[in-house]
């Protein structure tokens, strides 16, 4: 039986025959070894716009010796405060940047103009609706942190639903007033939830709702007749939205904000809901017509809403949402979790490795769809 030997350098020797392959130092792919040997040696300039823990910064710098990593968050903050003493240094770093990583709100407004060599942006968020249009229309590739938010955001949806059926706000007010008034709470089991958006977040909401014995309906952008999705009893098309709304005790919004979904829930849709139904929004504030929503509360078109997102954030002190008793809200924290920075950085590190090796990205944004 012939035995072949390939010696790439003094560290790596690969033997293989017609039947078996032997790798003396755990390199498992001939293709990977050849790719590494032929890989160009030019530096990849990476700019980080968001403050990161030292451990996460180390993870990024450990991805490859080709990565030249510069953390510029302090320079951006100083510039925003009017301190231009280091503007030349910041301009030089952006001028050579090929890759940018961070939260979108930490990017300078003129990011594209300042980064003439920019090839790829990795956002720490899943949504990219806040990226400037010049970037969305440019050849720059965009990846996001999609997939990280399913668990925390689905849990917030269930939290708000449980607060409504158990009337948790009344218990809080009783404690404040030192009152004791017994009542009969409702249960989620047997109720119907409609989920608008069946991506990672929507599917996790469906799974949790099923665990509570709920009937689950959903709307999927790429709906196909006869389509089935785990934990979803029925999938509707966008055109069937009024029919879905009329059947639901809870409606949960879990889709990205795009030109197609902006203002998707307005007066017509709110009037299609049951008077006893609740709206839960952990997606984006602009998906809902807020003026119509406030009227819906005041005129009792619906029973209430759980809102984690708003068109204007933070809410202004005179916002009417503060005074509505049938609104439960949180300050846009549904996607947060203690190790979020680590998880997002792990996605970036994997994509940085893929970028350097010329491999397909994880979670690349389709600019045409907006997500």
């Amino acid at each position: 039986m012939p035995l072949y030997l390939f010696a790439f350098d003094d560290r790596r020797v690969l033997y293989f025959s017609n039947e078996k392959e032997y790798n003396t130092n755990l390199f498992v792919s001939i293709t990977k070894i050849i790719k590494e040997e032929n890989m160009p040696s030019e530096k990849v300039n990476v700019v980080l716009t968001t403050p990161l823990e030292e451990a996460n910064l180390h993870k990024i710098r450990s991805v490859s010796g080709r990565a030249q990593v510069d953390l510029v968050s302090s320079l951006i903050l100083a510039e925003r405060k009017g301190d231009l003493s280091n503007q030349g240094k910041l301009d030089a770093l952006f001028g050579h940047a090929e890759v940018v990583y961070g939260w979108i709100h930490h990017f300078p407004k003129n990011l594209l103009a300042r980064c003439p060599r920019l090839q790829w942006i990795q956002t720490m968020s899943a949504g990219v609706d806040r990226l400037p249009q010049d970037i969305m229309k440019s050849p720059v590739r965009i990846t996001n942190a999609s997939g990280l938010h399913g668990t925390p955001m689905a849990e917030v949806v269930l939290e708000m639903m449980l607060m409504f059926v158990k009337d948790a706000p009344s218990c809080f007010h009783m404690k404040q007033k030192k009152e004791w008034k017994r009542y009969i709470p409702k249960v989620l089991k047997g109720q119907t939830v409609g989920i608008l958006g069946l991506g990672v977040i929507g599917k996790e909401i469906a799974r949790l709702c099923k665990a509570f014995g709920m009937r689950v309906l959903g709307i999927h952008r790429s709906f196909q007749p006869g389509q089935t999705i785990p934990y979803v009893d029925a999938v509707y098309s966008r055109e069937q939205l009024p029919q879905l709304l009329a059947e639901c005790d809870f409606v949960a919004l879990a889709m990205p904000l795009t030109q197609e979904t902006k203002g998707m829930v307005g007066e017509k849709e709110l009037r299609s809901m049951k008077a006893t139904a609740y709206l839960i929004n952990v997606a984006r504030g602009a998906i809902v017509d807020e003026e119509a929503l406030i009227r819906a509360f005041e005129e009792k078109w619906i029973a209430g809403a759980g809102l984690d997102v708003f068109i204007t954030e933070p809410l202004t002190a005179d916002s009417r949402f503060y005074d509505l008793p049938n609104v439960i809200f949180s300050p846009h924290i549904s996607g947060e979790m203690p190790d979020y920075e680590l998880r997002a950085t792990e996605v970036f590190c994997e994509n940085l490795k893929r970028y350097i090796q010329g491999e397909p990205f994880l979670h690349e944004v389709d600019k045409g769809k907006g997500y």
Side-chain angles (χ1 to χ4, degrees):
M1 179 183 299
L3 180 67
Y4 304 91
L5 177 141
F6 285 81
F8 291 101
D9 56 34
D10 59 353
R11 294 175 292 107
R12 291 178 291 184
V13 181
L14 180 74
Y15 304 90
F16 70 94
S17 69
N18 291 339
E19 295 182 1
K20 294 183 178 180
E21 182 178 297
Y22 307 89
N23 193 324
T24 60
N25 64 350
L26 302 181
F27 279 83
V28 296
S29 168
I30 299 174
T31 303
K32 181 178 178 182
I33 293 173
I34 294 173
K35 183 179 291 185
E36 289 182 354
E37 292 299 318
N38 295 329
M39 192 180 297
S41 59
E42 293 85 0
K43 289 289 184 181
V44 175
N45 292 295
V46 179
V47 169
L48 313 178
T49 62
T50 292
L52 297 176
E53 294 181 2
E54 188 59 37
N56 292 324
L57 189 58
H58 178 72
K59 279 181 179 290
I60 296 170
R61 287 179 169 149
S62 300
V63 169
S64 171
R66 290 183 58 203
Q68 173 62 48
V69 180
D70 290 293
L71 180 64
V72 301
S73 55
S74 61
L75 300 180
I76 292 175
L77 181 59
E79 186 178 83
R80 287 182 176 177
K81 291 182 176 180
D83 179 359
L84 305 181
S85 59
N86 287 304
Q87 188 177 52
K89 180 180 179 181
L90 185 58
D91 284 340
L93 291 171
F94 275 135
H96 289 91
E98 188 173 334
V99 178
V100 170
Y101 170 56
W103 288 106
I104 293 173
H105 62 273
H106 289 156
F107 296 164
K109 292 182 179 179
N110 55 347
L111 178 65
L112 193 61
R114 296 178 79 168
C115 300
R117 300 183 183 181
L118 188 61
Q119 299 294 315
W120 162 45
I121 293 172
Q122 169 82 49
T123 70
M124 293 182 76
S125 61
V128 295
D129 50 282
R130 295 176 182 176
L131 277 175
Q133 282 302 301
D134 62 341
I135 292 177
M136 294 299 287
K137 294 177 181 179
S138 75
V140 174
R141 300 173 72 183
I142 302 167
T143 55
N144 61 18
S146 176
L148 300 183
H149 305 81
T151 295
M153 294 182 75
E155 288 184 0
V156 168
V157 171
L158 266 293
E159 169 205 12
M160 290 180 170
M161 291 167 62
L162 285 166
M163 288 180 74
F164 280 122
V165 294
K166 303 305 178 186
D167 200 5
S170 290
C171 294
F172 177 73
H173 292 314
M174 276 191 271
K175 181 176 181 293
Q176 285 185 313
K177 296 178 181 180
K178 299 181 180 180
E179 295 177 340
W180 183 276
K181 298 179 180 179
R182 288 175 57 82
Y183 63 95
I184 300 175
K186 299 176 183 177
V187 296
L188 287 179
K189 185 176 181 179
Q191 298 206 48
T192 298
V193 59
I195 304 170
L196 278 56
L198 290 171
V200 171
I201 299 164
K203 288 174 182 174
E204 180 63 7
I205 295 171
R207 187 185 71 83
L208 294 183
C209 288
K210 265 300 170 190
F212 277 84
M214 300 183 74
R215 176 174 174 246
V216 180
L217 311 179
I219 284 184
H220 201 322
R221 184 181 188 277
S222 54
F223 169 80
Q224 298 293 331
Q227 181 179 12
T228 60
I229 294 176
Y231 309 109
V232 180
D233 295 296
V235 181
Y236 291 66
S237 67
R238 170 72 184 270
E239 292 69 33
Q240 294 174 303
L241 177 59
Q243 178 184 338
L244 176 143
L245 294 174
E247 296 185 51
C248 294
D249 301 296
F250 292 91
V251 175
L253 307 185
M255 76 281 283
L257 176 62
T258 66
Q259 289 301 314
E260 181 182 353
T261 63
K262 186 175 182 179
M264 182 176 176
V265 178
E267 179 175 345
K268 176 184 175 183
E269 290 72 27
L270 292 166
R271 288 186 180 275
S272 296
M273 294 172 63
K274 297 178 181 179
T276 54
Y278 296 90
L279 179 72
I280 312 292
N281 189 6
V282 294
R284 283 289 189 267
I287 292 172
V288 180
D289 179 340
E290 288 186 346
E291 288 301 316
L293 182 61
I294 290 172
R295 284 187 58 206
F297 299 144
E298 294 174 340
E299 298 178 15
K300 302 188 186 306
W301 306 347
I302 62 175
L307 306 173
D308 181 62
V309 288
F310 302 86
I311 293 175
T312 300
E313 297 180 1
L315 287 178
T316 57
D318 60 350
S319 172
R320 293 160 72 187
F321 286 111
Y322 283 123
D323 301 318
L324 295 167
N326 44 359
V327 171
I328 295 171
F329 87 92
S330 53
H332 201 153
I333 48 80
S334 64
E336 298 292 336
M337 51 188 166
D339 59 350
Y340 187 89
E341 181 184 304
L342 169 62
R343 290 171 179 255
T345 298
E346 287 174 342
V347 173
F348 175 57
C349 288
E350 175 62 27
N351 270 340
L352 181 58
K353 180 178 70 174
R354 289 171 178 239
Y355 178 77
I356 290 172
Q357 294 178 348
E359 297 176 354
F361 282 134
L362 297 175
H363 314 307
E364 182 160 12
V365 172
D366 182 328
K367 292 183 179 179
K369 294 180 179 178
Y371 60 89

